[in-house]
Amino acid sequence: MGAMLHLRLITPAEKTDAVVRLIDRTVGTAHLVVLPGAAHRPAGDVVMCDVAREAADELIDGLRALDLDTCGAITAENIDLSLSEYADRAEREAPGEGADAVLWEQLAEATHEESTLSVTYVAFITLATMIAACGVVLDNAILIVGAMAVGPEFGPLAGICTAVVQRSPRLALRSVTALLVGFAVAMTITAGFGLFMDAVGLFSEGRLEAERPNTGFIYAPDWFSFVVAVLAGAAGTLSLTSAKSGALVGVAISVTTVPAAANAAIALLYGDTHQGWRSAEQLLLNLLGIILAGTLTLLLQKALWSTKKRRTS
């Protein structure tokens, strides 16, 4: 079995026939169920079906064209197990491969949630930056990797990429706000954390300025930094859009966004403008590479999928 989605729809009675016809003529659907009058809030019929992932985006677009998202409801969830010859046949008939399909509504919803400026988001990026600050002062690569894994900044970056491709100014504004405000708050609090740690004798300017073989790369941006950011951006975008999402943690620990922000905050705290500026360059270089690669990856996926659907239609 490949990737199937289960759709549960609430539809006004007068639209049910049109919804059923749309599902019937969509290649890659199975297990159509109609429950007249089963919905109470909003009132209407309940229609359920399973659809191959590669056919889901087209079907959801059709359901939205019937205004089902405003006068009823469209709910989609992944199916972990489905033992059915009908489902197998639906997947064989659907064009393309499920892992290659991009569900734009699902991507927009995921990036909306991940790119919203919230207390939890700010807490995670601040804690990650503080962990990274400990890592740069101690020259401890393990703490740097831990900070990379904790940092939530890929969500807003993916939101920016999605907003560019889908031409969504509201998502772009929300994502940019989360990114800028999140890093500003995190760096400010980390600077205060650094003052406290210096006061109790755990941080010192000497440690920051000493030879740092394990973490010196954080304030030494070069073309490799940009190349890695581009590769990580493409991999992260693919992990979000495909049915294979396990690569995102690997992406998080490939780029030095949070460590660069932490190094800049601590360096400026001690008046080291050279390290501060070079760390800021590293941060901007990584952000630029991820956004550029993520946007190009989405554009390429969109173009390839459109070409594939035209060939099979």
Side-chain angles (χ1 to χ4, degrees), residues 15-27:
K15 290 182 178 284
T16 300
D17 288 343
V19 169
V20 171
R21 285 196 300 270
L22 174 63
I23 295 172
D24 275 335
R25 67 172 180 261
T26 299
V27 177

Side-chain angles (χ1 to χ4, degrees), residues 74-162:
I74 304 171
T75 305
E77 56 187 358
N78 292 316
I79 298 176
D80 294 327
L81 176 65
S82 179
L83 304 178
S84 166
E85 178 58 35
Y86 293 99
D88 292 344
R89 187 184 308 129
E91 286 197 286
R92 287 194 298 267
E93 293 173 350
E97 294 294 330
D100 296 334
V102 179
L103 300 180
W104 293 102
E105 291 297 332
Q106 187 181 58
L107 178 62
E109 185 69 22
T111 51
H112 176 280
E113 181 179 348
E114 295 294 327
S115 62
T116 299
L117 185 63
S118 63
V119 173
T120 301
Y121 170 81
V122 173
F124 268 115
I125 196 169
T126 300
L127 291 170
T129 308
M130 292 165 69
I131 293 170
C134 296
V136 299
V137 172
L138 296 174
D139 192 34
N140 189 316
I142 295 176
L143 290 177
I144 296 298
V145 172
M148 291 175 177
V150 172
E153 73 279 5
F154 191 80
L157 292 171
I160 294 172
C161 300
T162 304

Side-chain angles (χ1 to χ4, degrees), residues 65-306:
L66 292 172
D67 295 324
L68 214 60
D69 55 328
T70 57
C71 64
I74 304 171
T75 305
E77 56 187 358
N78 292 316
I79 298 176
D80 294 327
L81 176 65
S82 179
L83 304 178
S84 166
E85 178 58 35
Y86 293 99
D88 292 344
R89 187 184 308 129
E91 286 197 286
R92 287 194 298 267
E93 293 173 350
E97 294 294 330
D100 296 334
V102 179
L103 300 180
W104 293 102
E105 291 297 332
Q106 187 181 58
L107 178 62
E109 185 69 22
T111 51
H112 176 280
E113 181 179 348
E114 295 294 327
S115 62
T116 299
L117 185 63
S118 63
V119 173
T120 301
Y121 170 81
V122 173
F124 268 115
I125 196 169
T126 300
L127 291 170
T129 308
M130 292 165 69
I131 293 170
C134 296
V136 299
V137 172
L138 296 174
D139 192 34
N140 189 316
I142 295 176
L143 290 177
I144 296 298
V145 172
M148 291 175 177
V150 172
E153 73 279 5
F154 191 80
L157 292 171
I160 294 172
C161 300
T162 304
V164 171
V165 175
Q166 294 295 87
R167 299 177 183 177
S168 174
R170 293 180 63 185
L171 178 59
L173 179 61
R174 183 184 300 111
S175 302
V176 170
T177 300
L179 195 67
L180 295 181
V181 174
F183 271 116
V185 172
M187 292 175 70
T188 301
I189 294 178
T190 298
F193 172 69
L195 282 173
F196 170 77
M197 295 292 279
D198 182 82
V200 297
L202 295 177
F203 280 12
S204 68
E205 185 176 1
R207 283 188 167 188
L208 182 73
E209 301 296 341
E211 193 73 23
R212 286 160 49 193
N214 295 321
T215 60
F217 67 92
I218 294 172
Y219 59 94
D222 55 21
W223 278 108
F224 277 109
S225 303
F226 183 73
V227 169
V228 171
V230 167
L231 296 175
T237 303
L238 283 173
S239 73
L240 283 178
T241 58
S242 72
K244 306 179 186 301
S245 58
L248 202 53
V249 174
V251 171
I253 60 176
S254 299
V255 289
T256 53
T257 49
V258 164
N263 202 87
I266 300 301
L268 293 176
L269 173 67
Y270 286 119
D272 187 340
T273 54
H274 173 73
Q275 270 202 50
W277 176 246
R278 296 290 283 171
S279 300
E281 285 183 350
Q282 179 79 278
L283 174 62
L284 294 174
L285 200 62
N286 277 273
L287 295 178
L288 177 62
I290 292 172
I291 292 172
L292 178 64
T295 302
L296 292 177
T297 300
L298 287 177
L299 288 171
L300 181 61
Q301 285 181 288
K302 193 171 188 177
L304 289 175
W305 191 252
S306 297

Side-chain angles (χ1 to χ4, degrees), residues 41-60:
R41 191 171 59 184
D45 302 332
V46 174
V47 178
M48 296 181 287
C49 72
D50 296 340
V51 58
R53 182 183 173 89
E54 53 269 41
D57 195 58
E58 181 180 358
L59 177 56
I60 292 173

